[in-house]
Amino acid sequence: MVSARLKGGRLPPLFRLLRFPKTLHRPPNLRLFTQNSRRLLISPPSSRPQLPFLYSSANTSLFPTLSRNRFPLQLARLLTTERKTYLKQQAWAAVKITTIGWTALALIATILFGIENERLERKFPSPEEWSWMSRWLYRSSRGEEIPEANGTGLVDWARTGQDYRRLLGRLEDINVDGKGIRPSLGADGDIYVAGIGRTGFDITVKSEPWRRGYYECLMGAARAAEHLDTWVRDKTRNIAFPPGVIIGPSNPRPNPVPYGAKKAPREEDCEPAFDSPEHYYMKILTTSGFHSRQRLHAALAYADWLEYKGLPSSAEGMYDWALDIAIRALPTDASEVIDTRTGVLNEDASHITPNILLATTALARHHAQTQNLSVALPIFLSILRAQRNLPAPSAPIQLPRGTDSSDSDPSMLSLFASFARSLLIAPSYPDAPPSGDLPATRSVITSCEEAATMSHVGEVLFASSTKPSGTLSIPPSLFPAKTQATSSQSSGLAWTRESVALAEQTLLSLSAPSTKSSPSSLRPPRSLSSRGTSREVATARQRCIECLLSSMENWKLMVAQLQQQEAAKRAGSAFSPQRGSKAQRGWFWSGSNTEGENDGTWEREAQMVEMKSREIAALVKEDGWTAQMETGRGVLGFA
């Protein structure tokens, strides 16, 4: 009900009609919707409704429901129709950009993965009949063995061995990639050897590429097993550790793990990280389907591993087994080619195979390293005689031409076409390597092997002067022109000089024409004509460089020791008789006096050796190799 004071204060309706409108005299008084005073609340009703959401929070006491439900009202004020449309558009754009970005990243990763696998496939071809997963495991494991290719500079042998083991499991599974293989005993089952495990399979039904890939996988697993020897695996975390960091009673003072590595394992949680190398080597030797060369390489690798483990007698038995593998492939009687008791090749042998030369060379090196020089020297000499008497190939092929000015350079169009063809056409699986059972002939690597054998002979002769049993002499039946007329030290030094000269001449004949910058006296004519591809030439060049560096280092050490003996001989007159007799024995080598000990001959030869070393280093550097004289290592440890 309206009070009487308010009623009297109002104008009668008659006078309201005589007043002019207020809008004609003053502008309208604009007011905010959210700032309403109490006076407006009791004013007459207006055309604008009084809604709670138009008021500020300060006046919420007039509207109790507004204070109890404040957030939805504020959200309703913010989410207008235009803003809702804008937010929907932004959300849809974010979804589209995120989807496109992740799809692009996935496609780029797939492309890079395909390029990397294609690169590894061209470098390490895998058999086409293998499944995709097996081929990928083979490429990955082979690539991980190259420190420069895996991006870390180190080889993770635990991971590499695990990949090889997974690949072997797929190849030996008849339900995956091993369909058709069977145990060695057929229906009777497998053969188990104590300490080695299951022996090989019969894979004769498989194709040659399948067998070759299986052989490479076994050899790779054996290499990984050698590097993981004595390592352990933590069963709780599936991580491999070296034996020195194990925490347990057998290792009371464990080594600290490197910074950032996983925590060291406890001994009760550990087991061997990998199978023994014998398991894989014996599987190769007992598998039916590998040719002689493959089994021979496995036997020699196993023998080398036994030597590393300090088992010379077991290693000698394995070397004999390797020689027996090479002899069994001969089409003639073995007595016509080699003396099976001593390992010396017959002079009139007409069927000497590369496997025979490889097996006898390894056997002679083993005898030399075990200080059995009287047995090693005749074998080396017979090998050298056989290498020099090898027949020439029936159809010699000239070495690949270099980039001389007379040669026509390929055009850019042909180079681009060759590059495009290599990208579009997958390379075929390489042809099978020779089995080594055919008679050996002269090739691009024969001269390098001959130089290496001469270096071994020089080492044996020079080292024989320290033996209490006396020096060795060359049997006239083996080399009549090389009968020993001087001391064994001088004879060994002469053989080493000839080895350096032959290796240097062969390397110059095989090197690229960039050696034209070398002195003319060191550039023999490129008259070497032999059977060989570019890969064989590269292998021969590498072998010549290794032989040259090893022989050069042997020559340097021999001259240094003879120079020390010469200095001791000169100073012997100033000592007592007892010390003089010690000076006559020399610092490292004993034996008879050599020619030129008292006239400074060895000092002059030491200067000549130093000049030759710099010359060889420049030659090797021109050939694209790093000249490090310490890399060579002789059979007796001279270098």
Side-chain angles (χ1 to χ4, degrees), residues 607-638:
Q607 298 176 0
M608 182 182 67
V609 169
E610 189 65 27
M611 294 177 58
K612 193 69 174 179
S613 298
R614 292 194 294 266
E615 195 175 278
I616 295 300
L619 174 62
V620 173
K621 187 176 181 180
E622 284 186 7
D623 198 71
W625 295 80
T626 304
Q628 296 180 354
M629 304 303 293
E630 293 80 11
T631 56
R633 184 167 185 84
V635 64
L636 295 178
F638 277 95

Side-chain angles (χ1 to χ4, degrees), residues 261-545:
K262 299 294 184 180
K263 184 180 178 180
R266 305 185 65 86
E267 186 174 0
E268 57 269 17
D269 299 332
C270 295
E271 65 179 6
F274 209 69
D275 300 324
S276 62
E278 293 87 351
H279 171 70
Y280 299 102
Y281 288 131
M282 293 302 298
K283 181 172 286 189
I284 296 175
L285 294 174
T286 56
T287 295
S288 302
F290 294 140
H291 56 67
S292 303
R293 190 76 167 192
Q294 293 171 336
R295 299 174 63 236
L296 177 61
H297 282 169
L300 295 180
Y302 187 22
D304 185 70
W305 168 252
L306 292 175
E307 283 186 341
Y308 170 76
K309 298 296 289 184
L311 302 172
S313 58
S314 301
E316 184 174 353
M318 188 53 58
Y319 281 119
D320 293 336
W321 190 353
L323 183 59
D324 183 67
I325 293 174
I327 290 175
R328 287 185 179 182
L330 293 174
T332 59
D333 188 8
S335 59
E336 300 178 2
V337 178
I338 186 175
D339 186 353
T340 56
R341 184 176 57 87
T342 61
V344 177
L345 299 176
N346 297 335
E347 182 179 2
D348 54 350
S350 59
H351 200 284
I352 296 180
T353 63
N355 290 345
I356 291 290
L357 294 176
L358 180 62
T360 52
T361 301
L363 180 62
R365 288 172 60 91
H366 169 73
H367 285 304
Q369 291 174 350
T370 55
Q371 304 301 317
N372 196 2
L373 304 182
S374 59
V375 178
L377 182 60
I379 301 177
F380 276 131
L381 293 175
S382 65
I383 294 171
L384 180 60
R385 180 182 59 193
Q387 290 172 340
R388 292 182 175 180
N389 295 334
L390 290 179
S394 57
I397 300 177
Q398 295 291 338
L399 293 176
R401 296 185 302 171
T403 56
D404 295 341
S405 58
S406 59
D407 297 337
S408 59
D409 297 333
S411 61
M412 293 298 298
L413 183 60
S414 62
L415 291 177
F416 178 78
S418 177
F419 176 73
R421 191 183 305 111
S422 65
L423 292 179
L424 298 176
I425 301 176
S428 59
Y429 195 73
D431 297 334
S435 62
D437 296 334
L438 299 178
T441 57
R442 296 198 66 85
S443 62
V444 293
I445 204 173
T446 302
S447 299
C448 304
E449 298 292 346
E450 183 179 338
T453 305
M454 294 173 63
S455 177
H456 296 335
V457 173
E459 289 183 79
V460 171
L461 289 174
F462 194 90
S464 65
S465 61
T466 62
K467 290 297 178 182
S469 57
T471 60
L472 297 178
S473 60
I474 299 178
S477 59
L478 293 175
F479 272 88
K482 289 285 185 178
T483 52
Q484 189 171 357
T486 58
S487 66
S488 61
Q489 289 183 343
S490 298
S491 180
L493 189 61
W495 279 89
T496 305
R497 291 196 199 101
E498 293 182 9
S499 172
V500 171
L502 179 59
E504 181 184 7
Q505 182 180 6
T506 307
L507 179 61
L508 288 168
S509 301
L510 294 172
S511 298
S514 59
T515 54
K516 287 183 177 181
S517 58
S518 302
S520 58
S521 60
L522 297 179
R523 294 200 313 268
R526 293 174 59 87
S527 59
L528 183 58
S529 169
S530 58
R531 181 187 302 272
T533 61
S534 58
R535 177 172 298 185
E536 292 175 350
V537 172
T539 304
R541 188 182 297 119
Q542 178 182 1
R543 180 68 176 126
C544 280
I545 290 175

Side-chain angles (χ1 to χ4, degrees), residues 550-616:
S550 178
S551 301
M552 196 66 215
E553 186 67 14
N554 288 348
W555 187 10
K556 184 177 181 180
L557 293 177
M558 290 177 184
V559 172
Q561 292 176 10
L562 291 175
Q563 189 178 2
Q564 291 177 357
Q565 291 183 14
E566 180 182 2
K569 182 66 175 178
R570 288 179 179 178
S573 58
F575 296 137
S576 61
Q578 291 80 6
R579 299 188 66 179
S581 61
K582 183 177 181 179
Q584 290 179 0
R585 292 197 303 268
W587 295 104
F588 295 96
W589 300 92
S590 62
S592 59
N593 296 335
T594 56
E595 294 81 355
E597 279 187 344
N598 300 323
D599 54 359
T601 301
W602 303 123
E603 294 182 0
R604 293 191 297 270
E605 183 158 354
Q607 298 176 0
M608 182 182 67
V609 169
E610 189 65 27
M611 294 177 58
K612 193 69 174 179
S613 298
R614 292 194 294 266
E615 195 175 278
I616 295 300

Side-chain angles (χ1 to χ4, degrees), residues 100-142:
I100 293 174
W102 282 108
T103 303
L105 289 177
L107 292 177
I108 292 174
T110 304
I111 293 173
L112 294 178
F113 178 78
I115 293 175
E116 178 65 15
N117 275 269
E118 182 66 20
R119 185 185 67 84
L120 292 176
E121 176 64 27
R122 293 174 183 271
K123 193 168 186 178
F124 308 109
S126 56
E128 297 179 358
E129 55 190 301
W130 286 4
S131 62
W132 182 88
M133 179 59 69
S134 298
R135 299 181 69 177
W136 178 73
L137 286 174
Y138 176 77
R139 291 189 295 260
S140 301
S141 54
R142 291 293 302 273

Side-chain angles (χ1 to χ4, degrees), residues 192-267:
Y192 287 87
V193 180
I196 296 178
R198 189 173 60 180
T199 57
F201 295 90
D202 184 0
I203 59 174
T204 54
V205 297
K206 290 295 185 178
S207 63
E208 192 279 332
W210 194 100
R211 298 196 303 267
R212 199 193 323 169
Y214 181 58
Y215 166 78
E216 292 293 341
C217 182
L218 287 173
M219 290 296 291
R223 290 191 298 269
E226 290 181 358
H227 286 85
L228 295 176
D229 184 49
T230 69
W231 278 50
V232 296
R233 185 181 68 88
D234 188 354
K235 295 181 292 185
T236 61
R237 294 176 291 172
N238 196 23
I239 302 176
F241 291 91
V245 301
I246 302 176
I247 301 176
S250 62
N251 190 24
R253 303 185 65 180
N255 299 328
V257 295
Y259 177 77
K262 299 294 184 180
K263 184 180 178 180
R266 305 185 65 86
E267 186 174 0

